[in-house]
Amino acid sequence: MPYVLLLTSILLGVFGQILMKWGLVSPKPLWHQSAPALQLINSLPVLLGIGFYGLSSIFWIMTLKRMDLSLAYPMVSVGYVLVLAAGSLLFHESISPIRFWGMGFILIGVFCVSRS
């Protein structure tokens, strides 16, 4: 069960990041007149992304109650790999060879931590 909570937290965080990016690159303002500080959250995808991030935090808290921090926290880095892949697939961001190698090292590290 703790791993399901952890995976849910990671995936909600990834979806939150994707939604926020989507809302910023394809803005469809919810309201036309707003203060400059509010213009960053003037998009439904950005607001949904913040909501997903909040839900991710709730699942993270439930994970921490059931799992050692020294095991759970390194697993969160899988989210970095997923966001990088999503950035490439959805937003046509380039993955340089060094980024690709970095993703590999992250996954190797997560594997090693999960086996300890």
Side-chain angles (χ1 to χ4, degrees), residues 30-82:
L30 293 173
W31 52 87
H32 297 288
Q33 301 281 337
S34 64
L38 293 178
Q39 289 176 358
L40 291 176
I41 59 169
N42 191 9
S43 159
L44 183 58
V46 171
L47 292 173
L48 287 173
I50 292 169
F52 271 71
Y53 230 59
L55 282 174
S56 172
S57 296
I58 292 169
F59 278 90
W60 176 247
I61 291 168
M62 292 189 301
T63 299
L64 290 179
K65 186 174 180 177
R66 294 167 178 82
M67 186 181 278
D68 290 344
L69 178 64
S70 61
L71 175 62
Y73 195 69
M75 300 297 172
V76 173
S77 62
V78 169
Y80 302 147
V81 174
L82 295 174

Side-chain angles (χ1 to χ4, degrees), residues 78-116:
V78 169
Y80 302 147
V81 174
L82 295 174
V83 168
L84 193 139
S88 175
L89 293 171
L90 301 173
F91 304 111
H92 309 290
E93 298 173 355
S94 66
I95 300 178
S96 65
I98 194 76
R99 285 185 190 178
F100 186 79
W101 280 98
M103 283 184 4
F105 285 128
I106 288 171
L107 293 174
I108 290 169
V110 167
F111 177 78
C112 291
V113 169
S114 72
R115 295 288 166 212
S116 62

